[in-house]
Short mmCIF file of all heavy atoms in Angstrom, two decimals:
data_model
loop_
_atom_site.label_atom_id
_atom_site.label_comp_id
_atom_site.label_asym_id
_atom_site.label_seq_id
_atom_site.Cartn_x
_atom_site.Cartn_y
_atom_site.Cartn_z
N ILE A 1 0.85 -1.23 -0.01
CA ILE A 1 0.13 -0.01 -0.04
C ILE A 1 0.92 1.24 0.04
O ILE A 1 0.72 2.21 -0.74
CB ILE A 1 -0.95 -0.12 1.27
CG1 ILE A 1 -2.05 -1.18 0.94
CG2 ILE A 1 -1.72 1.31 1.37
CD1 ILE A 1 -2.87 -1.58 2.05
N PRO A 2 1.93 1.33 0.94
CA PRO A 2 2.68 2.63 0.64
C PRO A 2 3.47 2.74 -0.72
O PRO A 2 3.65 3.87 -1.15
CB PRO A 2 3.73 2.43 1.84
CG PRO A 2 3.15 1.50 2.81
CD PRO A 2 2.31 0.49 1.94
N ALA A 3 3.73 1.59 -1.33
CA ALA A 3 4.37 1.60 -2.60
C ALA A 3 3.41 2.20 -3.74
O ALA A 3 3.99 2.69 -4.77
CB ALA A 3 4.77 0.21 -3.06
N LEU A 4 2.14 2.27 -3.53
CA LEU A 4 1.21 2.77 -4.46
C LEU A 4 1.50 4.42 -4.60
O LEU A 4 1.14 4.96 -5.52
CB LEU A 4 -0.27 2.60 -4.14
CG LEU A 4 -0.66 1.04 -4.11
CD1 LEU A 4 -2.06 0.99 -3.57
CD2 LEU A 4 -0.51 0.56 -5.57
N GLY A 5 1.94 4.89 -3.36
CA GLY A 5 2.24 6.48 -3.46
C GLY A 5 1.04 7.30 -3.38
O GLY A 5 1.09 8.56 -3.67
N PHE A 6 -0.19 6.88 -3.01
CA PHE A 6 -1.41 7.69 -2.87
C PHE A 6 -1.09 8.58 -1.61
O PHE A 6 -0.38 8.30 -0.65
CB PHE A 6 -2.62 6.69 -2.54
CG PHE A 6 -3.02 5.94 -3.85
CD1 PHE A 6 -2.23 5.99 -4.98
CD2 PHE A 6 -4.18 5.31 -3.81
CE1 PHE A 6 -2.68 5.25 -6.14
CE2 PHE A 6 -4.53 4.63 -4.99
CZ PHE A 6 -3.81 4.55 -6.10
N PRO A 7 -1.78 9.74 -1.63
CA PRO A 7 -1.72 10.70 -0.50
C PRO A 7 -2.15 9.96 0.72
O PRO A 7 -3.08 9.20 0.81
CB PRO A 7 -2.78 11.75 -0.93
CG PRO A 7 -2.91 11.69 -2.36
CD PRO A 7 -2.79 10.23 -2.77
N SER A 8 -1.42 10.24 1.84
CA SER A 8 -1.61 9.43 3.05
C SER A 8 -1.39 10.39 4.22
O SER A 8 -0.98 11.52 4.20
CB SER A 8 -0.56 8.28 3.20
OG SER A 8 0.79 8.87 3.35
N ALA A 9 -1.94 9.93 5.38
CA ALA A 9 -1.90 10.56 6.70
C ALA A 9 -1.60 9.44 7.72
O ALA A 9 -1.73 8.28 7.52
CB ALA A 9 -3.12 11.32 6.92
N GLN A 10 -1.39 10.02 9.00
CA GLN A 10 -1.15 9.01 10.09
C GLN A 10 -1.87 9.50 11.27
O GLN A 10 -2.11 10.60 11.48
CB GLN A 10 0.32 8.99 10.42
CG GLN A 10 1.29 8.56 9.35
CD GLN A 10 2.70 8.40 9.76
OE1 GLN A 10 3.06 8.74 10.88
NE2 GLN A 10 3.57 7.98 8.82
N VAL A 11 -2.36 8.43 12.04
CA VAL A 11 -3.01 8.70 13.31
C VAL A 11 -2.32 7.78 14.37
O VAL A 11 -2.19 6.58 14.16
CB VAL A 11 -4.56 8.36 13.26
CG1 VAL A 11 -5.23 8.41 14.70
CG2 VAL A 11 -5.24 9.20 12.25
N GLU A 12 -1.81 8.49 15.39
CA GLU A 12 -1.12 7.69 16.40
C GLU A 12 -2.02 7.07 17.50
O GLU A 12 -2.97 7.66 17.70
CB GLU A 12 -0.06 8.57 17.02
CG GLU A 12 1.08 9.10 16.05
CD GLU A 12 2.16 9.84 16.66
OE1 GLU A 12 1.98 10.26 17.89
OE2 GLU A 12 3.26 9.97 16.06
N TYR A 13 -1.59 5.98 18.09
CA TYR A 13 -2.35 5.40 19.10
C TYR A 13 -1.45 4.46 19.89
O TYR A 13 -0.37 4.19 19.52
CB TYR A 13 -3.47 4.56 18.52
CG TYR A 13 -3.11 3.22 17.74
CD1 TYR A 13 -2.99 1.95 18.49
CD2 TYR A 13 -2.59 3.31 16.44
CE1 TYR A 13 -2.57 0.97 17.76
CE2 TYR A 13 -2.18 2.19 15.76
CZ TYR A 13 -2.18 0.99 16.41
OH TYR A 13 -1.78 -0.08 15.77
N ARG A 14 -2.01 4.22 21.13
CA ARG A 14 -1.21 3.27 22.04
C ARG A 14 -1.65 1.83 21.82
O ARG A 14 -2.78 1.68 21.76
CB ARG A 14 -1.47 3.70 23.48
CG ARG A 14 -0.70 2.82 24.48
CD ARG A 14 -1.04 3.34 25.94
NE ARG A 14 -0.30 2.52 26.97
CZ ARG A 14 -0.73 1.35 27.43
NH1 ARG A 14 -1.90 0.80 27.01
NH2 ARG A 14 0.00 0.72 28.30
N ARG A 15 -0.70 1.03 21.63
CA ARG A 15 -0.90 -0.39 21.32
C ARG A 15 -1.21 -1.02 22.66
O ARG A 15 -0.47 -0.96 23.60
CB ARG A 15 0.32 -1.04 20.73
CG ARG A 15 0.07 -2.54 20.24
CD ARG A 15 1.17 -3.01 19.47
NE ARG A 15 1.16 -4.45 19.12
CZ ARG A 15 0.33 -4.99 18.14
NH1 ARG A 15 -0.40 -4.16 17.51
NH2 ARG A 15 0.38 -6.30 17.94
N GLU A 16 -2.35 -1.75 22.68
CA GLU A 16 -2.83 -2.37 24.03
C GLU A 16 -2.49 -3.88 24.04
O GLU A 16 -1.98 -4.42 23.10
CB GLU A 16 -4.33 -2.15 24.09
CG GLU A 16 -4.81 -0.84 24.09
CD GLU A 16 -6.38 -0.63 24.01
OE1 GLU A 16 -7.08 -1.73 24.25
OE2 GLU A 16 -6.89 0.46 23.93
N GLU A 17 -2.74 -4.40 25.13
CA GLU A 17 -2.39 -5.87 25.40
C GLU A 17 -3.46 -6.69 24.70
O GLU A 17 -4.57 -6.18 24.46
CB GLU A 17 -2.36 -6.25 26.87
CG GLU A 17 -1.18 -5.67 27.62
CD GLU A 17 -1.12 -6.13 28.99
OE1 GLU A 17 -2.03 -6.85 29.41
OE2 GLU A 17 -0.21 -5.69 29.69
N ARG A 18 -3.11 -7.85 24.20
CA ARG A 18 -4.15 -8.78 23.55
C ARG A 18 -5.20 -9.01 24.58
O ARG A 18 -4.93 -9.27 25.80
CB ARG A 18 -3.51 -10.05 23.14
CG ARG A 18 -4.44 -11.06 22.59
CD ARG A 18 -3.73 -12.27 22.19
NE ARG A 18 -3.72 -12.29 20.75
CZ ARG A 18 -4.72 -12.76 20.00
NH1 ARG A 18 -5.86 -13.25 20.58
NH2 ARG A 18 -4.59 -12.90 18.61
N ALA A 19 -6.57 -8.82 24.21
CA ALA A 19 -7.57 -8.83 25.11
C ALA A 19 -7.87 -10.32 25.63
O ALA A 19 -8.20 -10.46 26.83
CB ALA A 19 -8.93 -8.43 24.40
N ALA A 20 -7.68 -11.24 24.80
CA ALA A 20 -7.76 -12.66 25.13
C ALA A 20 -7.15 -13.53 24.12
O ALA A 20 -6.88 -13.09 23.06
CB ALA A 20 -9.26 -13.02 25.44
N GLY A 21 -6.99 -14.85 24.58
CA GLY A 21 -6.39 -15.81 23.56
C GLY A 21 -4.96 -15.63 23.40
O GLY A 21 -4.31 -14.92 24.24
N THR A 22 -4.32 -16.31 22.43
CA THR A 22 -2.91 -16.39 22.15
C THR A 22 -2.67 -15.71 20.77
O THR A 22 -3.42 -15.71 19.86
CB THR A 22 -2.46 -17.81 22.22
OG1 THR A 22 -3.12 -18.52 21.25
CG2 THR A 22 -2.64 -18.33 23.53
N THR A 23 -1.42 -15.13 20.65
CA THR A 23 -1.00 -14.68 19.50
C THR A 23 -1.07 -15.69 18.33
O THR A 23 -0.70 -16.75 18.51
CB THR A 23 0.43 -14.02 19.55
OG1 THR A 23 0.83 -13.52 18.34
CG2 THR A 23 1.44 -15.15 19.94
N LYS A 24 -1.42 -15.20 17.10
CA LYS A 24 -1.37 -16.04 15.87
C LYS A 24 -0.19 -15.62 15.02
O LYS A 24 -0.10 -16.06 13.92
CB LYS A 24 -2.68 -15.77 15.13
CG LYS A 24 -3.97 -16.02 15.96
CD LYS A 24 -4.02 -17.36 16.58
CE LYS A 24 -5.23 -17.65 17.43
NZ LYS A 24 -5.43 -16.77 18.52
N TYR A 25 0.74 -14.87 15.53
CA TYR A 25 1.95 -14.64 14.84
C TYR A 25 3.22 -14.99 15.69
O TYR A 25 3.94 -14.20 16.22
CB TYR A 25 1.96 -13.00 14.57
CG TYR A 25 1.92 -12.68 13.18
CD1 TYR A 25 0.74 -12.43 12.58
CD2 TYR A 25 3.01 -12.70 12.35
CE1 TYR A 25 0.56 -12.08 11.19
CE2 TYR A 25 2.97 -12.33 11.07
CZ TYR A 25 1.78 -12.04 10.41
OH TYR A 25 1.63 -11.73 9.09
N PRO A 26 3.44 -16.31 15.68
CA PRO A 26 4.67 -16.74 16.42
C PRO A 26 5.92 -16.39 15.61
O PRO A 26 5.88 -15.79 14.58
CB PRO A 26 4.49 -18.23 16.41
CG PRO A 26 3.56 -18.50 15.24
CD PRO A 26 2.70 -17.40 15.05
N LEU A 27 7.06 -16.76 16.26
CA LEU A 27 8.36 -16.44 15.61
C LEU A 27 8.42 -16.89 14.22
O LEU A 27 9.02 -16.17 13.33
CB LEU A 27 9.43 -16.95 16.42
CG LEU A 27 10.90 -16.59 15.92
CD1 LEU A 27 11.16 -15.19 15.94
CD2 LEU A 27 11.94 -17.28 16.92
N SER A 28 7.97 -18.06 13.92
CA SER A 28 8.07 -18.61 12.60
C SER A 28 7.33 -17.79 11.56
O SER A 28 7.78 -17.53 10.39
CB SER A 28 7.59 -20.10 12.55
OG SER A 28 6.11 -20.09 12.92
N ARG A 29 6.18 -17.25 11.86
CA ARG A 29 5.44 -16.42 10.81
C ARG A 29 6.09 -15.14 10.68
O ARG A 29 6.10 -14.40 9.75
CB ARG A 29 4.02 -16.35 11.37
CG ARG A 29 3.26 -17.54 11.22
CD ARG A 29 1.81 -17.40 11.19
NE ARG A 29 1.03 -18.53 10.92
CZ ARG A 29 -0.32 -18.61 10.66
NH1 ARG A 29 -1.00 -17.50 10.63
NH2 ARG A 29 -0.93 -19.76 10.49
N MET A 30 6.77 -14.65 11.92
CA MET A 30 7.36 -13.30 11.78
C MET A 30 8.55 -13.37 10.86
O MET A 30 8.82 -12.53 10.04
CB MET A 30 7.84 -12.85 13.25
CG MET A 30 6.71 -12.60 14.01
SD MET A 30 7.29 -12.38 15.82
CE MET A 30 8.50 -11.03 15.67
N ILE A 31 9.29 -14.52 10.88
CA ILE A 31 10.48 -14.75 10.02
C ILE A 31 9.95 -14.87 8.55
O ILE A 31 10.40 -14.28 7.59
CB ILE A 31 11.25 -15.99 10.41
CG1 ILE A 31 11.85 -15.83 11.67
CG2 ILE A 31 12.29 -16.37 9.40
CD1 ILE A 31 12.50 -17.09 12.29
N ARG A 32 8.81 -15.56 8.40
CA ARG A 32 8.22 -15.71 7.06
C ARG A 32 7.81 -14.41 6.47
O ARG A 32 8.10 -14.00 5.37
CB ARG A 32 7.06 -16.67 7.07
CG ARG A 32 6.40 -16.91 5.68
CD ARG A 32 7.19 -17.76 4.88
NE ARG A 32 7.91 -17.08 3.81
CZ ARG A 32 8.78 -17.52 2.98
NH1 ARG A 32 9.24 -18.71 3.16
NH2 ARG A 32 9.25 -16.77 2.02
N LEU A 33 7.24 -13.48 7.33
CA LEU A 33 6.81 -12.19 6.86
C LEU A 33 8.07 -11.32 6.54
O LEU A 33 8.07 -10.57 5.52
CB LEU A 33 6.09 -11.49 8.00
CG LEU A 33 5.69 -9.97 7.75
CD1 LEU A 33 4.56 -10.03 6.66
CD2 LEU A 33 5.18 -9.36 9.01
N THR A 34 9.12 -11.52 7.26
CA THR A 34 10.34 -10.73 6.93
C THR A 34 10.98 -11.24 5.58
O THR A 34 11.36 -10.39 4.74
CB THR A 34 11.49 -10.88 8.04
OG1 THR A 34 10.81 -10.46 9.24
CG2 THR A 34 12.74 -10.11 7.72
N VAL A 35 10.99 -12.56 5.33
CA VAL A 35 11.53 -13.02 4.08
C VAL A 35 10.53 -12.63 2.94
O VAL A 35 11.14 -12.13 1.86
CB VAL A 35 11.58 -14.57 4.13
CG1 VAL A 35 11.89 -15.12 2.84
CG2 VAL A 35 12.57 -15.14 5.22
#
């Protein structure tokens, strides 16, 4: 989406703790995302 170069803006916020359950982004998926 940033590569499209469309006019953009930003809104800042505080990241909260996960409300319940477990993360669906373990280390293996983070590595896959990076690759």
Side-chain angles (χ1 to χ4, degrees):
I1 294 169
L4 296 174
F6 288 7
S8 63
Q10 296 183 4
V11 171
E12 294 185 348
Y13 68 95
R14 181 181 182 273
R15 186 169 174 82
E16 301 176 7
E17 294 182 359
R18 175 178 254 278
T22 58
T23 180
K24 305 307 182 294
Y25 246 91
L27 181 60
S28 59
R29 291 202 175 188
M30 292 169 61
I31 294 174
R32 183 70 254 176
L33 177 68
T34 303
V35 172

